[in-house]
Amino acid sequence: MDVWERDVVPKVMKIVSTRLPQRDLISLLLVSSSVHRNLLSHPSLWLVLDFHEMHNAGNRLVAALSLSRYQNVKHINLEFSHDIEDRHLEVLKSKCGKSLKNLEVLNLNGCQKISDVGIEFITSNCPKLKIFSIYWNIRVSDLSIKSLVKNCKLIIDLNLSGCKNITDESLILIAEHFHGLQHLNLTRCIKLTDSGLQTILCKCSSIQSLNLYALSSFTDVAYKKLSLLINLQFLDLCGAQNLSDNGLSCIANCRNLTSLNLTWCVRITDQGVIAIAEGCRSLEFLSLFGIVGVTDKSLEALSRFCCRTITTLDVNGCIGIQRRSRDQLLQLFPKLKCFKVHS
């Protein structure tokens, strides 16, 4: 039995534990004292804290980070968790700050009770933070971004979707401090203007993914600057009502683009789509949903230049494009898997 616990159990537990969700892994600690010891001897098993949609998340987080096994945690997920407030983050700053020194990923999506004050508390101890997400929080403002750029210099992935109080001031701060930014989501940040977006596009040339969903205030003045993003692969412009063919023609210079959402970009015509087809020959996903100004000319151009890559094409509401059978579509786009899919 001693040999079993000393040699076999550790090996089995290490194999099994790496395949279990965190909550099940914690349950294993209760199996026996030997299992408890063996699991705690592998620091790599305790790098993630997942409180996704959990109740009493604030107290759970403080309690977890007080434990020695989470002293090197790298990923904290609080997405849509309940009962997490600024006061919990204040406790972390004062009592558990060292536990956050290696944190790289922080997900605060849907944590509605956290404000600028809480963001200051949590970021002040996270110098290695790379990925920060605070989707759907109307309490945070430019003050949160000030705290972020002051305390976290390594951000490459930033999700501010639905943060309606963010203004151009935040975009200027981001542009000045996060030159290596790769992923940016500004969905429904309705206070932003061309000026702020241009600053980002001119200074953050490493961006690979940009989400500008439901932002109708931007114009070609900013959209033309998208051509500076030579590494851009994903672009969501759903609802860009001011985007014209001229602006889209500039976007066609993003040669590495693989996913482009032009849903409800109502000013676009064949001219702009043909430019995209000619310039973005690695395109895999394209949505033209709701654009009445495109015709079969667009489809023919896409077939000519992108037939080897396109797998998803949405032309719902494009009344100028004729209906085709599955076989006809496959002749145009041999790799097509999804056609007329709502975006």
Side-chain angles (χ1 to χ4, degrees), residues 13 23 33 36 44 73 80 86 144 180-181 187 191 195 211 238 248 312 319:
M13 285 297 103
R23 298 174 194 183
S33 58
H36 188 279
S44 60
V73 66
F80 295 110
D86 289 342
S144 288
L181 193 65
T187 293
K191 292 185 178 180
S195 178
N211 199 321
C238 176
L248 192 56
T312 302
I319 58 177

Side-chain angles (χ1 to χ4, degrees), residues 84-94 100 106 108 111-126 132 134 137-148 150-151 166:
I84 174 77
E85 303 176 12
D86 289 342
R87 60 187 177 87
H88 297 111
L89 304 184
E90 183 177 17
V91 173
L92 290 183
K93 179 180 180 180
S94 61
L100 299 170
L106 178 59
L108 296 176
C111 295
Q112 296 280 2
K113 294 182 179 180
I114 292 178
S115 70
D116 293 325
V117 175
I119 300 302
E120 166 63 26
F121 288 145
I122 189 70
T123 59
S124 63
N125 286 309
C126 305
F132 181 64
I134 191 163
N137 188 316
I138 60 174
R139 299 186 67 190
V140 300
S141 70
D142 296 328
L143 291 175
S144 288
I145 304 304
K146 286 183 179 180
S147 298
L148 188 67
K150 179 181 72 174
N151 299 315
I166 296 295

